[in-house]
Amino acid sequence: KKEQPPYFIDMRLHDLKTSLLQFSSGMLTSSHQSHDRIVTMGMRIGNYMKDNTSATEGSRMVDNRIPVFSDRLPIEDDSLSLGFCLERSFEAAYDQSLQQYRAIQKNGHRQGKEGTIPAFSIEKPSVYIEEPVPIQPDSTLFAAWKEILRKVSGIIGNETDVITGDIALMVMDERIYYLNSEGTRIVQNRPQCQIQLIIAVMSREGTMVPMTKTYIGRNMAALPSAEKLENDVRNILKLLQVLKNAPLADPYAGPAILSPEAAGVFFHEIFG
């Protein structure tokens, strides 16, 4: 019903439940469980050939990316509240898109030359819906993991050479909803469980020697047991003691052979 209605609208909603436990040198530093809902709107005004993302030759003053608007939604399933917040988000996204469309129209008339590449493609709608797979720990399991991490962190805290000793458990239970005005409806789960160890000692030359170990799974059952965590921590501490007293490597220029993991990071971070 708008004077200049959008020809395409899409909406993505992230429903995210998170549990977090963090210990540092035997002391609890963070413990909470949260629930958030974030909605992101996108709109295209004009038509598939030319819209608010279209660029005219010589235009440099207009941001040609599709504007998106994000907002928080209630975590309670109240249709009236959800509808009010979604309407507010739609209006904000529309206003941003309309301003961009008018600026591009004005700039296009000034330049006098338009591109021949379509602004957007027409695609066949997709429908794919996954069943919910909740992975959040209940209060009993959350308390049990707190004691496991407290014990493991205590092992780190007993080492006088350690200057940084953190262990954290994070469980993210994310469900993503996507729909657009062309008829696409997609609902997917993105669960992730993670335990991260960060331990560092000071070398004899005064530099920090850190080691990090991360465990990742798609559910709580994929995480390591308390016994494995304790053994891995002790092995890391032993290795750090060796590294602490190891001599510094001399500067070197020449051929090198890298393991696959190191090669990927090296090329991404250095050459990228």
Side-chain angles (χ1 to χ4, degrees):
K1 297 180 180 179
K2 296 289 187 182
E3 180 181 351
Q4 182 69 57
Y7 74 93
F8 178 84
I9 304 172
D10 67 351
M11 177 175 69
R12 179 178 282 103
L13 188 146
H14 292 256
D15 193 328
L16 179 62
K17 297 177 181 178
T18 305
S19 295
L20 177 66
L21 283 170
Q22 187 168 1
F23 284 81
S24 181
S25 299
M27 303 299 294
L28 180 66
T29 57
S30 183
S31 173
H32 70 264
Q33 293 180 290
S34 62
H35 186 186
D36 294 288
R37 280 178 177 165
I38 306 295
V39 65
T40 301
M41 303 286 186
M43 290 194 184
R44 289 177 177 267
I45 296 177
N47 53 59
Y48 285 93
M49 192 65 197
K50 180 182 179 182
D51 63 19
N52 52 298
T53 69
S54 299
T56 55
E57 188 173 314
S59 64
R60 296 183 180 275
M61 300 302 293
V62 180
D63 187 351
N64 299 112
R65 294 171 297 180
I66 182 170
V68 294
F69 178 81
S70 295
D71 198 8
R72 289 184 175 274
L73 291 183
I75 60 174
E76 295 182 341
D77 296 332
D78 180 79
S79 58
L80 187 62
S81 298
L82 289 167
F84 173 79
C85 292
L86 288 174
E87 182 178 1
R88 181 181 62 188
S89 300
F90 274 120
E91 289 293 340
Y94 175 78
D95 289 342
Q96 292 178 18
S97 299
L98 185 60
Q99 290 178 19
Q100 186 187 44
Y101 182 65
R102 287 174 175 170
I104 286 177
Q105 277 189 313
K106 182 179 179 180
N107 190 68
H109 292 322
R110 185 182 300 119
Q111 298 295 333
K113 187 175 182 180
E114 298 181 3
T116 57
I117 300 175
F120 204 48
S121 63
I122 302 175
E123 302 297 334
K124 181 180 178 181
S126 299
V127 178
Y128 174 75
I129 299 176
E130 294 180 351
E131 291 297 322
V133 185
I135 63 169
Q136 284 299 305
D138 56 25
S139 56
T140 302
L141 185 58
F142 191 68
W145 270 102
K146 183 181 290 187
E147 293 309 311
I148 292 174
L149 265 61
R150 186 188 303 277
K151 185 177 180 181
V152 174
S153 181
I155 298 173
I156 303 172
N158 290 332
E159 293 293 326
T160 57
D161 290 337
V162 171
I163 57 175
T164 298
D166 297 333
I167 182 170
L169 165 70
M170 183 170 62
V171 181
M172 293 191 299
D173 191 353
E174 188 172 22
R175 190 161 168 83
I176 304 170
Y177 301 79
Y178 175 83
L179 64 156
N180 66 31
S181 54
E182 293 179 333
T184 289
R185 303 287 186 268
I186 298 174
V187 184
Q188 292 177 292
N189 302 309
R190 189 164 64 180
Q192 181 176 318
C193 299
Q194 176 177 300
I195 293 178
Q196 187 175 55
L197 279 165
I198 302 176
I199 309 174
V201 297
M202 192 71 73
S203 72
R204 61 185 182 181
E205 286 81 14
T207 59
M208 189 171 73
V209 182
M211 288 200 70
T212 301
K213 189 172 181 64
T214 305
Y215 311 84
I216 296 178
R218 293 181 63 84
N219 52 55
M220 299 290 289
L223 295 177
S225 64
E227 291 75 17
K228 177 169 177 53
L229 283 173
E230 293 176 22
N231 290 333
D232 286 353
V233 165
R234 290 191 174 95
N235 290 333
I236 291 173
L237 290 171
K238 290 178 182 178
L239 181 55
L240 282 172
Q241 284 297 322
V242 178
L243 289 173
K244 174 187 174 182
N245 299 310
L248 289 176
D250 294 327
Y252 167 77
I257 298 176
L258 304 178
S259 68
E261 293 84 358
V265 175
F266 185 81
F267 275 86
H268 181 273
E269 298 296 332
I270 305 303
F271 293 106

